[in-house]
Amino acid sequence: MSAEAYGKYNQKANFKPKIIAKTPSQIERIKNRLNQAFMFSCLEEKEVEIVINAMGEVKFSQGSTVINQGDDGDNLYIIDSGHLDCYKKFSNLEKAKYLKTYEPGESFGELALLYNAPRAATIVAKENCILFALDRETFNHIVKDAAAKKREKYESFLAKVELLESMDPYERSKIADALRPFKYKMNEYVVKEGESGDTFYFVEEGEAIATKVLQPGKAPEIVYKYKAGDYFGELALLRETPRAANIVAVTDLSVVALDRLSFKRLIGPLEDILKRNFARYEKFLA
Ligand code: CMP
Ligand code: CMP
């Protein structure tokens, strides 16, 4: 056994999970929020329980700074109620740049914990907020390895996806947290025309086609072709309609999927690009 592995093993053995007493209603609220937080989606039930035990409710009043860029970080936060603004100082800009507003269900403050780095941005409560805080030690033992591995695994893939070109690399890494991988064999259906759909897909590896019945009573015809880096399944989510085509694997196919909530939160800002891209279906048919 190497020294490093032994050290790690030892740390794990010494880890005594923190338990903060809570009311049943607090536990229920934390559970609901954790279910929506992408970073925790890879945890097993037992690990979720440890995280819930360790989380504490904290309140911040309007205008107070929850995280200050440059500080050391000791907590990650999930928002239960209230909105918060995120700003970042850049060396070439005099004033901190506004980046985004966080809403209930979202989490922040993970970077300092994941990468052992100073806080990368400042987060200020826009109104009175209730947050759930998870301490660094529990995060390190339960969440960190799986979350960091997932970000690393998908970062280079997502960087090559044309749809996400205009996206800030930080926002792209949040997509990595939320992705779920699926595999299909040649000729298998990923999506069936007419069914209801709650999932958006990127092709990770392999090829697929979209087919659709263009003349009633006739066999479906090929209406689009997909390779690695392409996406499909946006129409049902944007328009709340049944699937408008079949998607069929034409080789062994690996896809990564986002559910409706992740799609709305993470891909929502790209809605204009998605809508502009509808034209590609007509172009293909022409
Ligand atoms: P952390 O660095 O721990 O503290 C500040 C948080 O701001 C950071 O984690 C992220 O959760 C969040 N954040 C949001 N947008 C960005 C961004 N573009 N770059 C860095 N951090 C960001
Ligand atoms: P959705 O309707 O959710 O599921 C089937 C997907 O096929 C659809 O989203 C598009 O992403 C894709 N598609 C490709 N070509 C077409 C087409 N000509 N008409 C409709 N959808 C298409």
Side-chain angles (χ1 to χ4, degrees):
M1 194 183 278
S2 75
E4 197 196 331
Y6 180 74
K8 264 190 183 166
Y9 176 75
N10 224 2
Q11 275 177 24
K12 294 248 180 206
N14 288 339
F15 170 61
K16 283 226 167 53
K18 189 166 160 177
I19 299 184
I20 298 180
K22 292 175 206 68
T23 64
S25 106
Q26 272 177 322
I27 292 175
E28 208 42 45
R29 276 158 52 220
I30 295 181
K31 238 185 222 167
N32 286 338
R33 291 308 183 190
L34 271 182
N35 276 340
Q36 301 168 352
F38 311 131
M39 184 157 260
F40 298 89
S41 60
C42 43
L43 299 189
E44 290 165 22
E45 215 171 305
K46 240 186 145 168
E47 295 170 322
V48 172
E49 206 174 297
I50 297 177
V51 168
I52 291 175
N53 278 330
M55 288 195 114
E57 185 175 316
V58 280
K59 292 183 174 159
F60 286 89
S61 52
Q62 182 180 15
S64 56
T65 301
V66 179
I67 284 182
N68 192 28
Q69 186 172 345
D71 285 357
D72 284 337
D74 48 10
N75 281 305
L76 163 152
Y77 298 94
I78 299 183
I79 305 165
D80 188 41
S81 68
H83 289 75
L84 303 98
D85 284 333
C86 176
Y87 300 90
K88 189 168 169 65
K89 281 179 261 176
F90 292 90
S91 53
N92 59 336
L93 295 179
E94 211 173 294
K95 249 183 98 193
K97 186 177 168 206
Y98 163 81
L99 291 181
K100 64 183 281 173
T101 299
Y102 283 103
E103 39 185 87
E106 291 190 279
S107 65
F108 60 83
E110 80 293 1
L111 284 183
L113 277 52
L114 271 180
Y115 303 115
N116 243 333
R119 293 295 197 188
T122 291
I123 315 256
V124 180
K126 259 185 110 164
E127 56 207 4
N128 292 344
C129 292
I130 299 178
L131 311 179
F132 298 127
L134 179 67
D135 65 286
R136 176 190 277 267
E137 215 196 352
T138 308
F139 178 83
N140 279 351
H141 281 88
I142 307 290
V143 194
K144 184 175 169 175
D145 287 355
K149 229 186 269 164
K150 206 168 173 200
R151 284 198 177 183
E152 268 158 38
K153 179 171 176 195
Y154 289 120
E155 255 159 25
S156 56
F157 165 69
L158 292 174
K160 286 182 273 178
V161 172
E162 199 185 325
L163 173 70
L164 308 177
E165 246 172 14
S166 61
M167 200 177 242
D168 172 295
Y170 175 72
E171 292 301 317
R172 264 200 317 251
S173 66
K174 303 281 281 188
I175 296 181
D177 291 345
L179 291 175
R180 282 176 305 136
F182 294 98
K183 290 198 186 300
Y184 296 87
K185 294 264 174 237
M186 188 164 66
N187 295 331
E188 253 189 294
Y189 280 67
V190 183
V191 161
K192 285 205 170 125
E193 184 176 1
E195 289 190 347
S196 65
D198 263 322
T199 314
F200 173 77
Y201 300 88
F202 292 108
V203 177
E204 191 185 4
E205 234 183 294
E207 289 169 27
I209 48 172
T211 68
K212 190 173 167 59
V213 176
L214 296 178
Q215 295 176 51
K218 295 247 167 94
E221 297 171 47
I222 296 179
V223 291
Y224 210 73
K225 290 187 175 176
Y226 298 99
K227 57 179 184 343
D230 291 339
Y231 68 86
F232 57 83
E234 80 289 9
L235 292 181
L237 296 181
L238 288 174
R239 297 177 171 168
E240 312 234 346
T241 47
R243 295 296 193 187
N246 302 297
I247 305 289
V248 190
V250 293
T251 62
D252 280 352
L253 180 72
S254 304
V255 299
V256 283
L258 293 175
D259 63 20
R260 187 179 281 276
L261 174 71
S262 321
F263 174 77
K264 191 166 161 251
R265 239 194 241 161
L266 300 166
I267 308 292
L270 303 177
E271 194 171 330
D272 287 345
I273 303 180
L274 289 171
K275 286 186 171 158
R276 238 181 287 139
N277 285 349
F278 289 174
R280 58 170 66 173
Y281 304 136
E282 276 140 45
K283 209 163 144 201
F284 186 95
L285 287 176

